[in-house]
Amino acid sequence: MKNCYLGIDVGSVSTNVVLMDENKEILGKVYTKTQGKPIDAVKRGLQEIQTQITEEIKVKGVGTTGSGRHLASMIVGADVIKNEITAHGIAALNFVDGVRTIFEIGGQDSKIILLKNGIISDFAMNTVCAAGTGSFLDRQAARLDIPIHEFGQKALSSKNPVRIAGRCAVFAESDMIHKQQLGHNQEDIIKGLCDALVRNFLNNLGKGKDLVGPVVFQGGVAANVGIKKSFEEALGCEVLVPPHHEVMGAIGCCLLAQEHAAKNKSTVFKGFDIVHSGYQVKGFECEDCSNVCEVIEIMKDGQLTARWGDKCGKWSNNIEKDKEKLA
């Protein structure tokens, strides 16, 4: 029987699940769309991971990250719950010893993480502007009728890239249309867009920061060779893309779970059978004080399982008593 660790990264666009063994070999990985249903995405990810398992395993630890990390933890039973900054930092350090700068661009947000002597020293996140995110690139590829996997490759064949305003997604799109109307070819427009998005990223997140190598590029957008090339031209150094760049957050969770398991013999993982359980989520506002907390309740097969969101602990601390009342 092989000891393994499970990492789950639940984001607004994608949910990623990774299964890693004790030698840090990836035994299975799933990259699936969240589609506004994180519970279904987690269950679907676990089902797909099961189909990739070719031998008997024992899950020794589980970690969750992403915007839905607390929800995922309640569903699967996680030993470690960490933010995306920590998870991506740990994963990058495992890929490149001595990494100093991490770029991560996902479907809806982007981030820069700076490390010094293997420790995260600074970071910046952009969760407001859509320009430079995976969703924006998907939309532009669809508008140009180009498969997203060919988008970056076309940028590499550009001879005279045009300059496109990249400070805002709306302006970037209208500028692209204007350049098309002027007769510029697709390759030059796409390269111009890649350059604009990199400028936007570095100006918004990297301003005033010392960006030194080694530089690691993670997230789904790292598959876009055009964006990678634009980063290298802007920085004047090589940008490294990990083999499992799209699931690095989940890999970081696996590594954190392995570290936790070394100190703790037991795990709270509920097992793969949870994929057959029915979960419901509902929320309500507590009006007992001026905080007006939005409390989230998780029901499993009709039974109250978890609550969170209350600042004072009135609802989350009394969950066991309320379970008895509802029983």
Side-chain angles (χ1 to χ4, degrees):
M1 183 179 292
K2 180 173 283 190
N3 292 331
C4 296
Y5 306 92
L6 198 62
I8 302 172
D9 181 358
V10 182
S12 55
V13 173
S14 69
T15 293
N16 311 319
V17 182
V18 168
L19 187 69
M20 183 190 82
D21 69 12
E22 289 188 313
N23 297 319
K24 300 179 182 179
E25 292 292 326
I26 305 303
L27 303 180
K29 67 175 182 178
V30 174
Y31 181 91
T32 185
K33 297 292 185 181
T34 305
Q35 297 176 322
K37 299 178 179 179
I39 294 176
D40 291 345
V42 169
K43 290 168 67 175
R44 187 167 62 249
L46 290 177
Q47 283 180 313
E48 290 185 34
I49 279 288
Q50 280 186 291
T51 65
Q52 298 177 26
I53 299 171
T54 57
E55 55 192 309
E56 193 173 354
I57 66 163
K58 181 178 182 180
V59 176
K60 300 281 287 183
V62 180
T64 61
T65 190
S67 56
R69 59 187 178 273
H70 294 290
L71 176 60
S73 173
M74 296 294 180
I75 302 301
V76 304
D79 305 293
V80 180
I81 306 170
K82 290 292 183 180
N83 59 62
E84 304 99 304
I85 301 298
T86 302
H88 279 280
I90 292 292
L93 280 167
N94 185 67
F95 170 66
V96 177
D97 189 29
V99 59
R100 294 289 306 276
T101 305
I102 302 168
F103 298 153
E104 197 274 333
I105 304 180
Q108 293 286 3
D109 63 15
S110 53
K111 57 185 75 74
I112 280 180
I113 306 169
L114 304 181
L115 301 98
K116 194 171 183 179
N117 299 322
I119 299 172
I120 295 172
S121 60
D122 194 9
F123 71 91
M125 292 185 68
N126 175 22
T127 58
V128 179
C129 181
T133 63
S135 296
F136 176 70
L137 288 172
D138 284 343
R139 189 165 66 250
Q140 299 316 311
R143 196 178 63 77
L144 294 171
D145 195 26
I146 299 171
I148 188 63
H149 60 273
E150 296 179 9
F151 198 77
Q153 204 62 47
K154 281 187 173 293
L156 297 186
S157 60
S158 169
K159 296 294 189 292
N160 298 293
V162 298
R163 186 172 181 85
I164 291 175
R167 297 289 290 178
C168 170
V170 176
F171 294 153
E173 187 164 344
S174 62
D175 205 13
M176 282 179 64
I177 294 171
H178 177 61
K179 293 300 192 294
Q180 282 181 292
Q181 291 170 338
L182 291 176
H184 292 282
N185 63 46
Q186 275 192 340
E187 289 79 5
D188 292 339
I189 292 172
I190 292 170
K191 182 63 167 73
L193 178 64
C194 290
D195 290 343
L197 298 188
V198 166
R199 277 198 313 274
N200 181 33
F201 180 92
L202 295 176
N203 287 333
N204 284 343
L205 300 182
K207 196 169 185 179
K209 299 187 185 302
D210 189 18
L211 307 180
V212 297
V215 179
V216 174
F217 186 15
Q218 302 177 169
V221 177
N224 189 314
V225 292
I227 298 290
K228 176 181 180 293
K229 180 67 174 177
S230 293
F231 267 128
E232 290 177 333
E233 291 174 350
L235 297 171
C237 68
E238 184 182 8
V239 173
L240 305 167
V241 177
H244 305 288
H245 59 84
E246 78 280 19
V247 295
M248 290 294 274
I251 290 174
C253 286
C254 289
L255 295 167
L256 289 164
Q258 184 179 26
E259 184 180 308
H260 178 273
K263 302 172 185 176
N264 302 270
K265 294 182 179 180
S266 61
T267 177
V268 295
F269 179 48
K270 297 176 182 178
F272 286 100
D273 288 343
I274 60 170
V275 300
H276 303 299
S277 300
Y279 289 90
Q280 300 84 38
V281 182
K282 69 175 184 177
F284 63 90
E285 286 187 349
C286 175
E287 299 179 350
D288 289 355
C289 75
S290 58
N291 284 325
V292 192
C293 298
E294 184 178 358
V295 183
I296 306 299
E297 285 187 338
I298 301 290
M299 309 290 287
K300 177 185 177 184
D301 298 326
Q303 299 294 314
L304 179 63
T305 302
R307 274 199 196 116
W308 69 84
D310 49 334
K311 293 181 175 68
C312 67
K314 172 185 176 180
W315 296 96
S316 53
N317 291 342
N318 294 325
I319 187 169
E320 293 303 325
K321 292 180 181 178
D322 291 341
K323 282 181 182 179
E324 293 175 6
K325 291 178 183 178
L326 294 171

